[in-house]
C-alpha cells in the first residue's frame, strides 16, 4: 500500500503516471469509489483526485472524509464485496483569527442547520477539530502530549528581532 500526502493542489507528479486519465488541474480522475477511471487497482484521494461528475474543493475536510471512506472500502473490495459509493458531507468551515477570535460557517447538513459563527466559539471549535485530527494521526497519547505541551508551554514569536 502506498500513502502519499500532498499540499493544496495536485502535485505535478501525477503527470508521471502514464495511461491514467488526468484532469485539467492535474488530478487523477476517479470514480465514486475513489478508484482511477482507467485502472481500478489505483486509488487517489484529496487534492490529487477528481470525481468529474461531482468535483470537490481541495480541502482537508474532503481529504479526511475520503481517507475514512477508503479505510472502510478497501477491505470490502479486497474481500470481493462492492462498497457503498463515497458521499461528501459538508460540515462547514472554521478559521482561527488569533488567540481570541475566529469565524465559522456550520454546514447545512449538520444538526445545527447551518449558519455563521463569530468570536471565541469558532476559535475553540477550530482548536478542537485540529486536536481531533492530530490525535487521529499521532495517536491519543502523543496527541494529548502535544496538546498539553502547546497549552502549558506556548511558543510565542519574538518581536525584538
Amino acid at each position: 500500500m502506498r500513502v502519499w500526502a500532498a499540499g493544496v493542489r495536485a502535485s505535478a507528479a501525477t503527470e508521471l503516471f502514464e495511461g491514467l486519465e488526468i484532469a485539467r488541474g492535474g488530478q487523477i480522475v476517479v470514480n465514486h469509489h475513489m478508484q482511477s477511471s482507467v485502472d481500478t487497482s489505483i486509488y487517489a484521494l484529496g487534492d490529487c483526485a477528481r470525481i468529474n461528475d461531482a468535483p470537490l474543493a481541495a480541502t482537508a475536510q474532503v481529504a479526511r472524509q475520503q481517507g475514512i471512506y477508503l479505510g472502510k472500502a478497501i477491505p470490502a473490495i479486497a474481500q470481493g464485496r462492492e462498497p457503498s459509493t463515497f458521499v461528501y458531507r459538508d460540515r462547514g468551515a472554521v478559521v482561527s483569527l488569533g488567540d481570541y477570535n475566529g469565524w465559522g460557517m456550520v454546514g447545512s447538513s449538520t444538526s445545527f442547520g447551518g449558519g455563521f459563527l463569530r468570536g471565541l466559539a469558532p476559535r475553540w471549535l477550530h482548536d478542537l477539530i485540529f486536536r481531533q485530527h492530530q490525535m487521529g494521526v499521532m495517536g491519543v497519547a502523543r496527541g494529548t502530549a502535544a496538546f498539553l505541551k502547546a497549552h502549558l508551554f506556548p511558543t510565542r514569536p519574538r518581536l525584538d528581532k
Side-chain angles (χ1 to χ4, degrees):
M1 174 179 284
R2 302 273 190 241
V3 176
W4 173 7
V8 295
R9 64 180 181 88
S11 170
T14 58
E15 297 169 7
L16 301 174
F17 300 119
E18 294 181 18
L20 295 181
E21 183 180 1
I22 303 295
R24 188 170 36 123
Q27 306 99 330
I28 297 170
V29 177
V30 296
N31 61 23
H32 287 274
H33 297 296
M34 308 312 297
Q35 298 168 307
S36 165
S37 61
V38 175
D39 184 345
T40 59
S41 66
I42 296 174
Y43 298 85
L45 65 117
D47 305 340
C48 67
R50 178 182 173 87
I51 303 171
N52 273 340
D53 62 343
L56 296 167
T59 65
Q61 182 180 172
V62 171
R64 179 177 169 83
Q65 287 184 34
Q66 289 172 339
I68 291 168
Y69 165 80
L70 275 178
K72 296 173 184 173
I74 289 176
I77 292 168
Q79 294 172 355
R81 293 183 288 134
E82 178 80 13
S84 60
T85 59
F86 171 74
V87 177
Y88 172 69
R89 289 178 176 75
D90 182 7
R91 305 224 192 287
V94 290
V95 176
S96 172
L97 302 171
D99 288 339
Y100 304 102
N101 202 357
W103 176 89
M105 183 178 72
V106 180
S108 60
S109 64
T110 66
S111 59
F112 295 111
F116 292 100
L117 303 170
R118 291 183 192 91
L120 197 52
R123 168 67 181 96
W124 288 341
L125 182 59
H126 180 272
D127 197 39
L128 287 172
I129 292 168
F130 170 72
R131 297 302 174 183
Q132 177 191 26
H133 175 72
Q134 191 175 40
M135 287 185 188
V137 171
M138 299 171 73
V140 175
R142 288 179 58 204
T144 302
F147 167 78
L148 291 173
K149 180 181 177 189
H151 287 279
L152 295 176
F153 307 103
T155 56
R156 302 281 183 217
R158 291 189 59 172
L159 301 175
D160 61 343
K161 289 190 176 192

